[in-house]
Amino acid sequence: AFATLPILASAFVQRALPTGAAASPIARSPRAVSPRSVAAEANTAVVAGGGPAGLATALILAQRGFDVTVLEKRAEPNPYEPQRAYLYLVDGRGQRFTDAAGLTEELASPATSVSSLNYTVTRCLPDGQREESVPPILEPSDRPSYWIPRARFLALLNSALPPTVTTRFGAELRELHQTPDGGVEVVASCSDGSELRLTPSLLVGADGLQSLVRQRCGEWSGAAAEYTPVVLPSPSSGLRYQMIKMPPDLRLDPKNASVTAQPRKAYSMRPATDAPLGPTRLGLLPVADPTFPRTANVILPPEHPVWALGSAEEVLGWLRATFPHLPVDDVVSADEAAAFAAGGAGRWGG
């Protein structure tokens, strides 16, 4: 949904240290790899997870002399994943990484992303009126931020990987074992039914909120608290989110087929005052690629009745009644409505 690029935010490491040495969390910076780990015997690394954090880590490790294997359970490099079809806003913090990796110029290309200084937001009101405005700049900066779909950002990172990085798609981390000399054995299952076993000198976990690497590091170190995620208060904590895929040039007017969404513009669909399940908004962020599907973000509290809708027709009926100014049957397919009803909503903070 509305995410800022989390470079290395969930990365933890297990080094091949002498028996009894504690594993240490990697710092949240590309400078986090210490000289000791760089000089480790065999200079090999395994990164569990091929998302943005994992690929960014692989790039940095390769620059520092490691031969890296990335384990990624997805079957292909950058597929369109309906429930991960959100966009990243790569701000100045993320650009410190893209600068170091030599990717900022391509990131900033109008063919790749939409600049935060060059888009508008259109409020689509239930009476059919549309109000376009320039979003305010909340935090002035000497450089713009960039909206980029997750799939496109993964493609950008994958294109920059050097030959010393091997990505094993369809390989899912299954277990980790400590070796007698204090190292670690990585066990992964592959999509062809085979099993992969690796004994790297460095293991990095970029395997998400329920990280197996983090769990094992906590167990082996005897200091589990050091590997427990820090929970910070946030108004968004606990909110659920789900996306509804729509056509790239979705119609915005049920009476005029020529009024369509423009790719480099954001839209906020406002609800009818008598919306049956209460006020709800649909948000569409800007995209650079005019052929890329638009995704409407639905973000609501976990107890909201929308999450209890159990069929495609119930979802479509809710959308028709809540957004009468949107030609719902032209922009939301029955299959997409059924997928929404089937569940799979994400949750911030858990």
Side-chain angles (χ1 to χ4, degrees), residues 2 11-12 75 84 92 157 159 161 181 199 205 255 264 276 296 348:
F2 300 82
F12 290 78
R84 290 186 175 183
L157 292 174
S159 70
L161 295 177
D181 61 355
T199 53
K255 299 178 181 178
R264 306 187 75 84
W348 277 315

Side-chain angles (χ1 to χ4, degrees), residues 5-349:
L5 177 65
I7 292 296
L8 307 186
S10 61
F12 290 78
V13 331
Q14 169 68 39
R15 299 175 187 168
L17 299 178
T19 303
S24 303
I26 195 167
R28 297 186 181 186
S29 163
R31 295 187 295 274
V33 181
S34 71
R36 180 176 184 180
S37 62
V38 169
E41 184 180 354
N43 239 30
T44 59
V46 168
V47 177
L55 295 179
T57 303
L59 274 168
I60 296 300
L61 291 176
Q63 289 177 354
R64 300 186 178 202
F66 280 86
D67 289 326
V68 185
T69 299
V70 179
L71 304 178
E72 172 51 53
K73 62 183 178 181
R74 295 191 317 270
E76 53 186 293
N78 19 271
Y80 177 84
E81 300 173 277
Q83 290 314 312
R84 290 186 175 183
Y86 36 74
L87 281 78
Y88 291 120
L89 181 61
V90 185
D91 60 12
R93 294 169 297 172
Q95 288 172 54
R96 287 200 294 270
F97 163 75
T98 59
D99 288 346
L103 295 174
T104 303
E105 182 177 356
E106 186 173 355
L107 169 70
S109 166
T112 302
S113 66
V114 176
S115 167
S116 61
L117 303 180
N118 191 30
Y119 78 100
T120 61
V121 177
T122 299
R123 293 191 302 165
C124 299
L125 307 176
D127 63 2
Q129 297 297 308
R130 288 176 291 277
E131 301 174 349
E132 186 174 15
S133 62
V134 176
I137 298 176
L138 300 179
E139 297 182 6
S141 171
D142 58 352
R143 61 196 308 183
S145 301
Y146 298 98
W147 289 109
I148 182 170
R150 184 177 191 274
R152 183 66 186 87
F153 190 66
L154 288 174
L156 182 65
L157 292 174
N158 273 301
S159 70
L161 295 177
T164 52
V165 176
T166 300
T167 303
R168 296 291 299 265
F169 293 103
E172 184 170 3
L173 180 64
R174 286 300 183 190
E175 192 48 88
L176 302 170
H177 303 290
Q178 279 191 306
T179 60
D181 61 355
V184 60
E185 180 186 49
V186 179
V187 183
S189 59
C190 302
S191 56
D192 62 4
S194 63
E195 186 178 79
L196 182 65
R197 291 178 177 265
L198 300 168
T199 53
S201 57
L202 177 70
L203 169 64
V204 179
D207 48 339
L209 188 63
Q210 307 301 325
S211 170
L212 178 62
V213 177
R214 181 175 61 236
Q215 179 183 337
R216 292 292 180 266
C217 283
E219 294 171 358
W220 296 340
S221 69
E226 294 183 9
Y227 294 90
T228 300
V230 177
V231 178
L232 301 175
S234 169
S236 66
S237 293
L239 289 177
R240 297 184 68 185
Y241 63 89
Q242 195 161 347
M243 279 141 276
I244 301 175
K245 185 172 70 172
M246 297 183 177
D249 55 349
L250 66 117
R251 286 178 56 189
L252 298 177
D253 191 324
K255 299 178 181 178
N256 186 347
S258 67
V259 181
T260 59
Q262 303 301 303
R264 306 187 75 84
K265 295 183 178 182
Y267 295 88
S268 175
M269 306 295 176
R270 302 305 176 96
T273 55
D274 58 350
L277 299 183
T280 307
R281 297 180 184 180
L282 299 179
L284 289 82
L285 293 170
V287 296
D289 184 350
T291 66
F292 196 81
R294 300 301 292 267
T295 49
N297 297 292
V298 180
I299 305 172
L300 294 166
E303 68 278 2
H304 198 282
V306 161
W307 306 123
L309 297 174
S311 69
E313 189 50 46
E314 286 183 358
V315 172
L316 291 171
W318 162 65
L319 290 171
R320 295 185 196 109
T322 305
F323 306 101
H325 48 304
L326 185 68
V328 170
D329 294 298
D330 291 331
V331 301
V332 181
S333 68
D335 287 345
E336 186 66 20
F340 187 94
R347 185 188 299 270
W348 277 315

